[in-house]
mmCIF file with all atom_site columns, all heavy atoms in Angstrom:
data_model
loop_
_atom_site.group_PDB
_atom_site.id
_atom_site.type_symbol
_atom_site.label_atom_id
_atom_site.label_alt_id
_atom_site.label_comp_id
_atom_site.label_asym_id
_atom_site.label_entity_id
_atom_site.label_seq_id
_atom_site.pdbx_PDB_ins_code
_atom_site.Cartn_x
_atom_site.Cartn_y
_atom_site.Cartn_z
_atom_site.occupancy
_atom_site.B_iso_or_equiv
_atom_site.pdbx_formal_charge
_atom_site.auth_seq_id
_atom_site.auth_comp_id
_atom_site.auth_asym_id
_atom_site.auth_atom_id
_atom_site.pdbx_PDB_model_num
ATOM 1   N N   . MET K 1 1  ? 53.336 -17.560 -87.251 1.00 80.00 ? 274 MET K N   1
ATOM 2   C CA  . MET K 1 1  ? 52.544 -18.110 -86.116 1.00 80.00 ? 274 MET K CA  1
ATOM 3   C C   . MET K 1 1  ? 52.906 -17.401 -84.838 1.00 80.00 ? 274 MET K C   1
ATOM 4   O O   . MET K 1 1  ? 51.989 -17.268 -84.033 1.00 80.00 ? 274 MET K O   1
ATOM 5   C CB  . MET K 1 1  ? 52.863 -19.668 -86.028 1.00 80.00 ? 274 MET K CB  1
ATOM 6   C CG  . MET K 1 1  ? 51.910 -20.313 -85.111 1.00 80.00 ? 274 MET K CG  1
ATOM 7   S SD  . MET K 1 1  ? 50.164 -20.274 -85.558 1.00 80.00 ? 274 MET K SD  1
ATOM 8   C CE  . MET K 1 1  ? 50.163 -21.484 -86.842 1.00 80.00 ? 274 MET K CE  1
ATOM 9   N N   . ILE K 1 2  ? 54.070 -17.013 -84.687 1.00 84.00 ? 275 ILE K N   1
ATOM 10  C CA  . ILE K 1 2  ? 54.457 -16.212 -83.445 1.00 84.00 ? 275 ILE K CA  1
ATOM 11  C C   . ILE K 1 2  ? 53.673 -14.845 -83.454 1.00 84.00 ? 275 ILE K C   1
ATOM 12  O O   . ILE K 1 2  ? 53.185 -14.562 -82.402 1.00 84.00 ? 275 ILE K O   1
ATOM 13  C CB  . ILE K 1 2  ? 55.995 -15.922 -83.458 1.00 84.00 ? 275 ILE K CB  1
ATOM 14  C CG1 . ILE K 1 2  ? 56.837 -17.196 -83.237 1.00 84.00 ? 275 ILE K CG1 1
ATOM 15  C CG2 . ILE K 1 2  ? 56.371 -14.861 -82.434 1.00 84.00 ? 275 ILE K CG2 1
ATOM 16  C CD1 . ILE K 1 2  ? 58.265 -17.062 -83.410 1.00 84.00 ? 275 ILE K CD1 1
ATOM 17  N N   . ILE K 1 3  ? 53.609 -14.225 -84.602 1.00 86.00 ? 276 ILE K N   1
ATOM 18  C CA  . ILE K 1 3  ? 52.921 -12.951 -84.677 1.00 86.00 ? 276 ILE K CA  1
ATOM 19  C C   . ILE K 1 3  ? 51.406 -13.139 -84.360 1.00 86.00 ? 276 ILE K C   1
ATOM 20  O O   . ILE K 1 3  ? 50.775 -12.428 -83.679 1.00 86.00 ? 276 ILE K O   1
ATOM 21  C CB  . ILE K 1 3  ? 53.161 -12.277 -85.972 1.00 86.00 ? 276 ILE K CB  1
ATOM 22  C CG1 . ILE K 1 3  ? 54.655 -11.929 -86.122 1.00 86.00 ? 276 ILE K CG1 1
ATOM 23  C CG2 . ILE K 1 3  ? 52.280 -11.011 -86.119 1.00 86.00 ? 276 ILE K CG2 1
ATOM 24  C CD1 . ILE K 1 3  ? 54.992 -11.378 -87.550 1.00 86.00 ? 276 ILE K CD1 1
ATOM 25  N N   . VAL K 1 4  ? 50.917 -14.172 -85.048 1.00 83.00 ? 277 VAL K N   1
ATOM 26  C CA  . VAL K 1 4  ? 49.523 -14.519 -84.980 1.00 83.00 ? 277 VAL K CA  1
ATOM 27  C C   . VAL K 1 4  ? 49.167 -14.882 -83.480 1.00 83.00 ? 277 VAL K C   1
ATOM 28  O O   . VAL K 1 4  ? 48.105 -14.393 -82.959 1.00 83.00 ? 277 VAL K O   1
ATOM 29  C CB  . VAL K 1 4  ? 49.098 -15.639 -85.884 1.00 83.00 ? 277 VAL K CB  1
ATOM 30  C CG1 . VAL K 1 4  ? 47.629 -16.149 -85.549 1.00 83.00 ? 277 VAL K CG1 1
ATOM 31  C CG2 . VAL K 1 4  ? 49.145 -15.244 -87.318 1.00 83.00 ? 277 VAL K CG2 1
ATOM 32  N N   . SER K 1 5  ? 50.004 -15.636 -82.831 1.00 83.00 ? 278 SER K N   1
ATOM 33  C CA  . SER K 1 5  ? 49.762 -16.025 -81.456 1.00 83.00 ? 278 SER K CA  1
ATOM 34  C C   . SER K 1 5  ? 49.735 -14.837 -80.504 1.00 83.00 ? 278 SER K C   1
ATOM 35  O O   . SER K 1 5  ? 48.923 -14.752 -79.566 1.00 83.00 ? 278 SER K O   1
ATOM 36  C CB  . SER K 1 5  ? 50.880 -17.082 -81.035 1.00 83.00 ? 278 SER K CB  1
ATOM 37  O OG  . SER K 1 5  ? 50.811 -18.261 -81.723 1.00 83.00 ? 278 SER K OG  1
ATOM 38  N N   . PHE K 1 6  ? 50.710 -13.953 -80.717 1.00 86.00 ? 279 PHE K N   1
ATOM 39  C CA  . PHE K 1 6  ? 50.724 -12.741 -79.902 1.00 86.00 ? 279 PHE K CA  1
ATOM 40  C C   . PHE K 1 6  ? 49.428 -11.865 -80.081 1.00 86.00 ? 279 PHE K C   1
ATOM 41  O O   . PHE K 1 6  ? 48.817 -11.467 -79.108 1.00 86.00 ? 279 PHE K O   1
ATOM 42  C CB  . PHE K 1 6  ? 51.962 -11.956 -80.142 1.00 86.00 ? 279 PHE K CB  1
ATOM 43  C CG  . PHE K 1 6  ? 52.036 -10.669 -79.289 1.00 86.00 ? 279 PHE K CG  1
ATOM 44  C CD1 . PHE K 1 6  ? 52.447 -10.726 -77.946 1.00 86.00 ? 279 PHE K CD1 1
ATOM 45  C CD2 . PHE K 1 6  ? 51.716 -9.435  -79.811 1.00 86.00 ? 279 PHE K CD2 1
ATOM 46  C CE1 . PHE K 1 6  ? 52.528 -9.639  -77.179 1.00 86.00 ? 279 PHE K CE1 1
ATOM 47  C CE2 . PHE K 1 6  ? 51.766 -8.329  -79.009 1.00 86.00 ? 279 PHE K CE2 1
ATOM 48  C CZ  . PHE K 1 6  ? 52.131 -8.340  -77.732 1.00 86.00 ? 279 PHE K CZ  1
ATOM 49  N N   . VAL K 1 7  ? 49.079 -11.714 -81.295 1.00 86.00 ? 280 VAL K N   1
ATOM 50  C CA  . VAL K 1 7  ? 47.822 -10.948 -81.623 1.00 86.00 ? 280 VAL K CA  1
ATOM 51  C C   . VAL K 1 7  ? 46.568 -11.679 -80.994 1.00 86.00 ? 280 VAL K C   1
ATOM 52  O O   . VAL K 1 7  ? 45.747 -10.949 -80.400 1.00 86.00 ? 280 VAL K O   1
ATOM 53  C CB  . VAL K 1 7  ? 47.676 -10.741 -83.107 1.00 86.00 ? 280 VAL K CB  1
ATOM 54  C CG1 . VAL K 1 7  ? 46.361 -10.107 -83.448 1.00 86.00 ? 280 VAL K CG1 1
ATOM 55  C CG2 . VAL K 1 7  ? 48.820 -9.850  -83.687 1.00 86.00 ? 280 VAL K CG2 1
ATOM 56  N N   . PHE K 1 8  ? 46.551 -12.995 -81.150 1.00 82.00 ? 281 PHE K N   1
ATOM 57  C CA  . PHE K 1 8  ? 45.456 -13.700 -80.612 1.00 82.00 ? 281 PHE K CA  1
ATOM 58  C C   . PHE K 1 8  ? 45.343 -13.623 -79.130 1.00 82.00 ? 281 PHE K C   1
ATOM 59  O O   . PHE K 1 8  ? 44.248 -13.518 -78.523 1.00 82.00 ? 281 PHE K O   1
ATOM 60  C CB  . PHE K 1 8  ? 45.587 -15.205 -81.044 1.00 82.00 ? 281 PHE K CB  1
ATOM 61  C CG  . PHE K 1 8  ? 44.342 -16.007 -80.809 1.00 82.00 ? 281 PHE K CG  1
ATOM 62  C CD1 . PHE K 1 8  ? 43.170 -15.749 -81.600 1.00 82.00 ? 281 PHE K CD1 1
ATOM 63  C CD2 . PHE K 1 8  ? 44.232 -17.009 -79.848 1.00 82.00 ? 281 PHE K CD2 1
ATOM 64  C CE1 . PHE K 1 8  ? 42.011 -16.433 -81.443 1.00 82.00 ? 281 PHE K CE1 1
ATOM 65  C CE2 . PHE K 1 8  ? 43.050 -17.717 -79.667 1.00 82.00 ? 281 PHE K CE2 1
ATOM 66  C CZ  . PHE K 1 8  ? 41.933 -17.443 -80.492 1.00 82.00 ? 281 PHE K CZ  1
ATOM 67  N N   . SER K 1 9  ? 46.508 -13.670 -78.420 1.00 84.00 ? 282 SER K N   1
ATOM 68  C CA  . SER K 1 9  ? 46.490 -13.559 -76.962 1.00 84.00 ? 282 SER K CA  1
ATOM 69  C C   . SER K 1 9  ? 46.015 -12.200 -76.518 1.00 84.00 ? 282 SER K C   1
ATOM 70  O O   . SER K 1 9  ? 45.332 -12.061 -75.504 1.00 84.00 ? 282 SER K O   1
ATOM 71  C CB  . SER K 1 9  ? 47.889 -13.868 -76.416 1.00 84.00 ? 282 SER K CB  1
ATOM 72  O OG  . SER K 1 9  ? 48.801 -12.884 -76.779 1.00 84.00 ? 282 SER K OG  1
ATOM 73  N N   . THR K 1 10 ? 46.378 -11.127 -77.271 1.00 86.00 ? 283 THR K N   1
ATOM 74  C CA  . THR K 1 10 ? 45.919 -9.769  -77.016 1.00 86.00 ? 283 THR K CA  1
ATOM 75  C C   . THR K 1 10 ? 44.374 -9.727  -77.180 1.00 86.00 ? 283 THR K C   1
ATOM 76  O O   . THR K 1 10 ? 43.710 -9.092  -76.402 1.00 86.00 ? 283 THR K O   1
ATOM 77  C CB  . THR K 1 10 ? 46.592 -8.828  -77.943 1.00 86.00 ? 283 THR K CB  1
ATOM 78  O OG1 . THR K 1 10 ? 48.007 -8.930  -77.799 1.00 86.00 ? 283 THR K OG1 1
ATOM 79  C CG2 . THR K 1 10 ? 46.242 -7.389  -77.573 1.00 86.00 ? 283 THR K CG2 1
ATOM 80  N N   . LEU K 1 11 ? 43.856 -10.369 -78.286 1.00 85.00 ? 284 LEU K N   1
ATOM 81  C CA  . LEU K 1 11 ? 42.463 -10.370 -78.556 1.00 85.00 ? 284 LEU K CA  1
ATOM 82  C C   . LEU K 1 11 ? 41.707 -11.068 -77.484 1.00 85.00 ? 284 LEU K C   1
ATOM 83  O O   . LEU K 1 11 ? 40.566 -10.722 -76.992 1.00 85.00 ? 284 LEU K O   1
ATOM 84  C CB  . LEU K 1 11 ? 42.156 -10.992 -79.830 1.00 85.00 ? 284 LEU K CB  1
ATOM 85  C CG  . LEU K 1 11 ? 42.553 -10.237 -81.072 1.00 85.00 ? 284 LEU K CG  1
ATOM 86  C CD1 . LEU K 1 11 ? 42.270 -11.120 -82.339 1.00 85.00 ? 284 LEU K CD1 1
ATOM 87  C CD2 . LEU K 1 11 ? 41.669 -9.023  -81.224 1.00 85.00 ? 284 LEU K CD2 1
ATOM 88  N N   . VAL K 1 12 ? 42.306 -12.140 -76.888 1.00 84.00 ? 285 VAL K N   1
ATOM 89  C CA  . VAL K 1 12 ? 41.701 -12.846 -75.755 1.00 84.00 ? 285 VAL K CA  1
ATOM 90  C C   . VAL K 1 12 ? 41.532 -11.903 -74.510 1.00 84.00 ? 285 VAL K C   1
ATOM 91  O O   . VAL K 1 12 ? 40.474 -11.872 -73.863 1.00 84.00 ? 285 VAL K O   1
ATOM 92  C CB  . VAL K 1 12 ? 42.512 -14.103 -75.337 1.00 84.00 ? 285 VAL K CB  1
ATOM 93  C CG1 . VAL K 1 12 ? 42.054 -14.640 -73.967 1.00 84.00 ? 285 VAL K CG1 1
ATOM 94  C CG2 . VAL K 1 12 ? 42.466 -15.133 -76.279 1.00 84.00 ? 285 VAL K CG2 1
ATOM 95  N N   . GLY K 1 13 ? 42.573 -11.099 -74.269 1.00 83.00 ? 286 GLY K N   1
ATOM 96  C CA  . GLY K 1 13 ? 42.483 -10.094 -73.266 1.00 83.00 ? 286 GLY K CA  1
ATOM 97  C C   . GLY K 1 13 ? 41.308 -9.014  -73.507 1.00 83.00 ? 286 GLY K C   1
ATOM 98  O O   . GLY K 1 13 ? 40.634 -8.647  -72.511 1.00 83.00 ? 286 GLY K O   1
ATOM 99  N N   . ILE K 1 14 ? 41.150 -8.670  -74.737 1.00 84.00 ? 287 ILE K N   1
ATOM 100 C CA  . ILE K 1 14 ? 40.121 -7.701  -75.079 1.00 84.00 ? 287 ILE K CA  1
ATOM 101 C C   . ILE K 1 14 ? 38.729 -8.259  -74.834 1.00 84.00 ? 287 ILE K C   1
ATOM 102 O O   . ILE K 1 14 ? 37.841 -7.810  -74.294 1.00 84.00 ? 287 ILE K O   1
ATOM 103 C CB  . ILE K 1 14 ? 40.316 -7.164  -76.474 1.00 84.00 ? 287 ILE K CB  1
ATOM 104 C CG1 . ILE K 1 14 ? 41.629 -6.324  -76.601 1.00 84.00 ? 287 ILE K CG1 1
ATOM 105 C CG2 . ILE K 1 14 ? 39.069 -6.333  -76.882 1.00 84.00 ? 287 ILE K CG2 1
ATOM 106 C CD1 . ILE K 1 14 ? 41.957 -5.929  -77.961 1.00 84.00 ? 287 ILE K CD1 1
ATOM 107 N N   . ILE K 1 15 ? 38.598 -9.537  -75.463 1.00 84.00 ? 288 ILE K N   1
ATOM 108 C CA  . ILE K 1 15 ? 37.307 -10.179 -75.469 1.00 84.00 ? 288 ILE K CA  1
ATOM 109 C C   . ILE K 1 15 ? 36.852 -10.531 -74.048 1.00 84.00 ? 288 ILE K C   1
ATOM 110 O O   . ILE K 1 15 ? 35.702 -10.276 -73.654 1.00 84.00 ? 288 ILE K O   1
ATOM 111 C CB  . ILE K 1 15 ? 37.352 -11.438 -76.310 1.00 84.00 ? 288 ILE K CB  1
ATOM 112 C CG1 . ILE K 1 15 ? 37.547 -11.006 -77.840 1.00 84.00 ? 288 ILE K CG1 1
ATOM 113 C CG2 . ILE K 1 15 ? 36.046 -12.224 -76.231 1.00 84.00 ? 288 ILE K CG2 1
ATOM 114 C CD1 . ILE K 1 15 ? 37.851 -12.205 -78.780 1.00 84.00 ? 288 ILE K CD1 1
ATOM 115 N N   . PHE K 1 16 ? 37.777 -11.195 -73.273 1.00 82.00 ? 289 PHE K N   1
ATOM 116 C CA  . PHE K 1 16 ? 37.338 -11.643 -71.975 1.00 82.00 ? 289 PHE K CA  1
ATOM 117 C C   . PHE K 1 16 ? 37.482 -10.543 -70.862 1.00 82.00 ? 289 PHE K C   1
ATOM 118 O O   . PHE K 1 16 ? 37.058 -10.732 -69.741 1.00 82.00 ? 289 PHE K O   1
ATOM 119 C CB  . PHE K 1 16 ? 38.109 -12.936 -71.598 1.00 82.00 ? 289 PHE K CB  1
ATOM 120 C CG  . PHE K 1 16 ? 37.740 -14.102 -72.377 1.00 82.00 ? 289 PHE K CG  1
ATOM 121 C CD1 . PHE K 1 16 ? 38.356 -14.419 -73.550 1.00 82.00 ? 289 PHE K CD1 1
ATOM 122 C CD2 . PHE K 1 16 ? 36.728 -14.877 -71.928 1.00 82.00 ? 289 PHE K CD2 1
ATOM 123 C CE1 . PHE K 1 16 ? 38.014 -15.552 -74.263 1.00 82.00 ? 289 PHE K CE1 1
ATOM 124 C CE2 . PHE K 1 16 ? 36.289 -15.992 -72.587 1.00 82.00 ? 289 PHE K CE2 1
ATOM 125 C CZ  . PHE K 1 16 ? 36.951 -16.358 -73.826 1.00 82.00 ? 289 PHE K CZ  1
ATOM 126 N N   . GLY K 1 17 ? 38.143 -9.480  -71.232 1.00 81.00 ? 290 GLY K N   1
ATOM 127 C CA  . GLY K 1 17 ? 38.197 -8.390  -70.211 1.00 81.00 ? 290 GLY K CA  1
ATOM 128 C C   . GLY K 1 17 ? 37.197 -7.281  -70.456 1.00 81.00 ? 290 GLY K C   1
ATOM 129 O O   . GLY K 1 17 ? 37.052 -6.394  -69.614 1.00 81.00 ? 290 GLY K O   1
ATOM 130 N N   . LEU K 1 18 ? 36.472 -7.386  -71.554 1.00 81.00 ? 291 LEU K N   1
ATOM 131 C CA  . LEU K 1 18 ? 35.529 -6.306  -71.945 1.00 81.00 ? 291 LEU K CA  1
ATOM 132 C C   . LEU K 1 18 ? 34.351 -6.245  -70.917 1.00 81.00 ? 291 LEU K C   1
ATOM 133 O O   . LEU K 1 18 ? 33.916 -5.252  -70.397 1.00 81.00 ? 291 LEU K O   1
ATOM 134 C CB  . LEU K 1 18 ? 35.025 -6.541  -73.336 1.00 81.00 ? 291 LEU K CB  1
ATOM 135 C CG  . LEU K 1 18 ? 34.230 -5.383  -73.991 1.00 81.00 ? 291 LEU K CG  1
ATOM 136 C CD1 . LEU K 1 18 ? 35.064 -4.116  -73.934 1.00 81.00 ? 291 LEU K CD1 1
ATOM 137 C CD2 . LEU K 1 18 ? 33.765 -5.703  -75.360 1.00 81.00 ? 291 LEU K CD2 1
ATOM 138 N N   . TYR K 1 19 ? 33.760 -7.504  -70.602 1.00 79.00 ? 292 TYR K N   1
ATOM 139 C CA  . TYR K 1 19 ? 32.620 -7.549  -69.605 1.00 79.00 ? 292 TYR K CA  1
ATOM 140 C C   . TYR K 1 19 ? 32.999 -7.018  -68.243 1.00 79.00 ? 292 TYR K C   1
ATOM 141 O O   . TYR K 1 19 ? 32.239 -6.198  -67.754 1.00 79.00 ? 292 TYR K O   1
ATOM 142 C CB  . TYR K 1 19 ? 32.133 -9.000  -69.632 1.00 79.00 ? 292 TYR K CB  1
ATOM 143 C CG  . TYR K 1 19 ? 30.975 -9.119  -68.570 1.00 79.00 ? 292 TYR K CG  1
ATOM 144 C CD1 . TYR K 1 19 ? 29.761 -8.578  -68.772 1.00 79.00 ? 292 TYR K CD1 1
ATOM 145 C CD2 . TYR K 1 19 ? 31.304 -9.851  -67.362 1.00 79.00 ? 292 TYR K CD2 1
ATOM 146 C CE1 . TYR K 1 19 ? 28.774 -8.750  -67.813 1.00 79.00 ? 292 TYR K CE1 1
ATOM 147 C CE2 . TYR K 1 19 ? 30.319 -10.014 -66.477 1.00 79.00 ? 292 TYR K CE2 1
ATOM 148 C CZ  . TYR K 1 19 ? 29.050 -9.430  -66.626 1.00 79.00 ? 292 TYR K CZ  1
ATOM 149 O OH  . TYR K 1 19 ? 28.100 -9.572  -65.646 1.00 79.00 ? 292 TYR K OH  1
ATOM 150 N N   . PRO K 1 20 ? 34.107 -7.487  -67.675 1.00 78.00 ? 293 PRO K N   1
ATOM 151 C CA  . PRO K 1 20 ? 34.426 -6.969  -66.360 1.00 78.00 ? 293 PRO K CA  1
ATOM 152 C C   . PRO K 1 20 ? 34.697 -5.449  -66.436 1.00 78.00 ? 293 PRO K C   1
ATOM 153 O O   . PRO K 1 20 ? 34.361 -4.736  -65.469 1.00 78.00 ? 293 PRO K O   1
ATOM 154 C CB  . PRO K 1 20 ? 35.755 -7.657  -65.946 1.00 78.00 ? 293 PRO K CB  1
ATOM 155 C CG  . PRO K 1 20 ? 35.639 -8.947  -66.733 1.00 78.00 ? 293 PRO K CG  1
ATOM 156 C CD  . PRO K 1 20 ? 35.029 -8.589  -68.009 1.00 78.00 ? 293 PRO K CD  1
ATOM 157 N N   . ALA K 1 21 ? 35.341 -4.961  -67.516 1.00 78.00 ? 294 ALA K N   1
ATOM 158 C CA  . ALA K 1 21 ? 35.649 -3.547  -67.632 1.00 78.00 ? 294 ALA K CA  1
ATOM 159 C C   . ALA K 1 21 ? 34.350 -2.747  -67.652 1.00 78.00 ? 294 ALA K C   1
ATOM 160 O O   . ALA K 1 21 ? 34.187 -1.654  -67.000 1.00 78.00 ? 294 ALA K O   1
ATOM 161 C CB  . ALA K 1 21 ? 36.488 -3.277  -68.842 1.00 78.00 ? 294 ALA K CB  1
ATOM 162 N N   . ARG K 1 22 ? 33.359 -3.174  -68.464 1.00 77.00 ? 295 ARG K N   1
ATOM 163 C CA  . ARG K 1 22 ? 32.086 -2.491  -68.576 1.00 77.00 ? 295 ARG K CA  1
ATOM 164 C C   . ARG K 1 22 ? 31.317 -2.584  -67.275 1.00 77.00 ? 295 ARG K C   1
ATOM 165 O O   . ARG K 1 22 ? 30.642 -1.596  -66.986 1.00 77.00 ? 295 ARG K O   1
ATOM 166 C CB  . ARG K 1 22 ? 31.295 -3.049  -69.749 1.00 77.00 ? 295 ARG K CB  1
ATOM 167 C CG  . ARG K 1 22 ? 31.812 -2.711  -71.137 1.00 77.00 ? 295 ARG K CG  1
ATOM 168 C CD  . ARG K 1 22 ? 30.922 -3.150  -72.186 1.00 77.00 ? 295 ARG K CD  1
ATOM 169 N NE  . ARG K 1 22 ? 31.388 -2.631  -73.532 1.00 77.00 ? 295 ARG K NE  1
ATOM 170 C CZ  . ARG K 1 22 ? 30.803 -2.912  -74.639 1.00 77.00 ? 295 ARG K CZ  1
ATOM 171 N NH1 . ARG K 1 22 ? 29.732 -3.774  -74.657 1.00 77.00 ? 295 ARG K NH1 1
ATOM 172 N NH2 . ARG K 1 22 ? 31.200 -2.406  -75.794 1.00 77.00 ? 295 ARG K NH2 1
ATOM 173 N N   . ARG K 1 23 ? 31.422 -3.705  -66.580 1.00 76.00 ? 296 ARG K N   1
ATOM 174 C CA  . ARG K 1 23 ? 30.744 -3.776  -65.287 1.00 76.00 ? 296 ARG K CA  1
ATOM 175 C C   . ARG K 1 23 ? 31.254 -2.750  -64.279 1.00 76.00 ? 296 ARG K C   1
ATOM 176 O O   . ARG K 1 23 ? 30.553 -2.081  -63.541 1.00 76.00 ? 296 ARG K O   1
ATOM 177 C CB  . ARG K 1 23 ? 30.874 -5.159  -64.781 1.00 76.00 ? 296 ARG K CB  1
ATOM 178 C CG  . ARG K 1 23 ? 30.094 -5.399  -63.500 1.00 76.00 ? 296 ARG K CG  1
ATOM 179 C CD  . ARG K 1 23 ? 30.114 -6.952  -63.137 1.00 76.00 ? 296 ARG K CD  1
ATOM 180 N NE  . ARG K 1 23 ? 29.398 -7.060  -61.844 1.00 76.00 ? 296 ARG K NE  1
ATOM 181 C CZ  . ARG K 1 23 ? 29.241 -8.238  -61.238 1.00 76.00 ? 296 ARG K CZ  1
ATOM 182 N NH1 . ARG K 1 23 ? 29.588 -9.347  -61.891 1.00 76.00 ? 296 ARG K NH1 1
ATOM 183 N NH2 . ARG K 1 23 ? 28.583 -8.349  -60.177 1.00 76.00 ? 296 ARG K NH2 1
ATOM 184 N N   . ALA K 1 24 ? 32.578 -2.596  -64.312 1.00 75.00 ? 297 ALA K N   1
ATOM 185 C CA  . ALA K 1 24 ? 33.178 -1.581  -63.461 1.00 75.00 ? 297 ALA K CA  1
ATOM 186 C C   . ALA K 1 24 ? 32.812 -0.168  -63.867 1.00 75.00 ? 297 ALA K C   1
ATOM 187 O O   . ALA K 1 24 ? 32.534 0.678   -63.017 1.00 75.00 ? 297 ALA K O   1
ATOM 188 C CB  . ALA K 1 24 ? 34.705 -1.686  -63.521 1.00 75.00 ? 297 ALA K CB  1
ATOM 189 N N   . ALA K 1 25 ? 32.657 0.059   -65.137 1.00 72.00 ? 298 ALA K N   1
ATOM 190 C CA  . ALA K 1 25 ? 32.407 1.393   -65.623 1.00 72.00 ? 298 ALA K CA  1
ATOM 191 C C   . ALA K 1 25 ? 30.977 1.792   -65.289 1.00 72.00 ? 298 ALA K C   1
ATOM 192 O O   . ALA K 1 25 ? 30.559 2.963   -65.120 1.00 72.00 ? 298 ALA K O   1
ATOM 193 C CB  . ALA K 1 25 ? 32.625 1.535   -67.138 1.00 72.00 ? 298 ALA K CB  1
ATOM 194 N N   . ARG K 1 26 ? 30.015 0.732   -65.221 1.00 73.00 ? 299 ARG K N   1
ATOM 195 C CA  . ARG K 1 26 ? 28.590 1.064   -64.940 1.00 73.00 ? 299 ARG K CA  1
ATOM 196 C C   . ARG K 1 26 ? 28.211 1.095   -63.430 1.00 73.00 ? 299 ARG K C   1
ATOM 197 O O   . ARG K 1 26 ? 27.054 1.246   -63.162 1.00 73.00 ? 299 ARG K O   1
ATOM 198 C CB  . ARG K 1 26 ? 27.818 -0.006  -65.704 1.00 73.00 ? 299 ARG K CB  1
ATOM 199 C CG  . ARG K 1 26 ? 27.883 0.162   -67.201 1.00 73.00 ? 299 ARG K CG  1
ATOM 200 C CD  . ARG K 1 26 ? 27.247 -1.011  -67.921 1.00 73.00 ? 299 ARG K CD  1
ATOM 201 N NE  . ARG K 1 26 ? 27.412 -0.907  -69.395 1.00 73.00 ? 299 ARG K NE  1
ATOM 202 C CZ  . ARG K 1 26 ? 27.057 -1.797  -70.231 1.00 73.00 ? 299 ARG K CZ  1
ATOM 203 N NH1 . ARG K 1 26 ? 26.563 -2.974  -69.796 1.00 73.00 ? 299 ARG K NH1 1
ATOM 204 N NH2 . ARG K 1 26 ? 27.206 -1.611  -71.537 1.00 73.00 ? 299 ARG K NH2 1
ATOM 205 N N   . LEU K 1 27 ? 29.193 0.884   -62.610 1.00 68.00 ? 300 LEU K N   1
ATOM 206 C CA  . LEU K 1 27 ? 28.850 0.997   -61.164 1.00 68.00 ? 300 LEU K CA  1
ATOM 207 C C   . LEU K 1 27 ? 28.350 2.379   -60.819 1.00 68.00 ? 300 LEU K C   1
ATOM 208 O O   . LEU K 1 27 ? 28.942 3.411   -61.254 1.00 68.00 ? 300 LEU K O   1
ATOM 209 C CB  . LEU K 1 27 ? 30.133 0.596   -60.388 1.00 68.00 ? 300 LEU K CB  1
ATOM 210 C CG  . LEU K 1 27 ? 30.435 -0.903  -60.211 1.00 68.00 ? 300 LEU K CG  1
ATOM 211 C CD1 . LEU K 1 27 ? 31.754 -0.973  -59.471 1.00 68.00 ? 300 LEU K CD1 1
ATOM 212 C CD2 . LEU K 1 27 ? 29.356 -1.703  -59.523 1.00 68.00 ? 300 LEU K CD2 1
#
């Protein structure tokens, strides 16, 4: 569960950080 939790928190960063990152790239 420790490993899964760390991976999941990283995925949250990818999923919820993707839209702002793409918005910045398309300026």
Side-chain angles (χ1 to χ4, degrees):
M274 190 61 77
I275 290 172
I276 296 171
V277 170
S278 296
F279 180 76
V280 172
F281 193 69
S282 65
T283 305
L284 287 175
V285 168
I287 294 173
I288 293 169
F289 288 93
L291 193 58
Y292 173 70
R295 286 187 174 177
R296 182 170 179 177
R299 291 172 183 173
L300 283 175

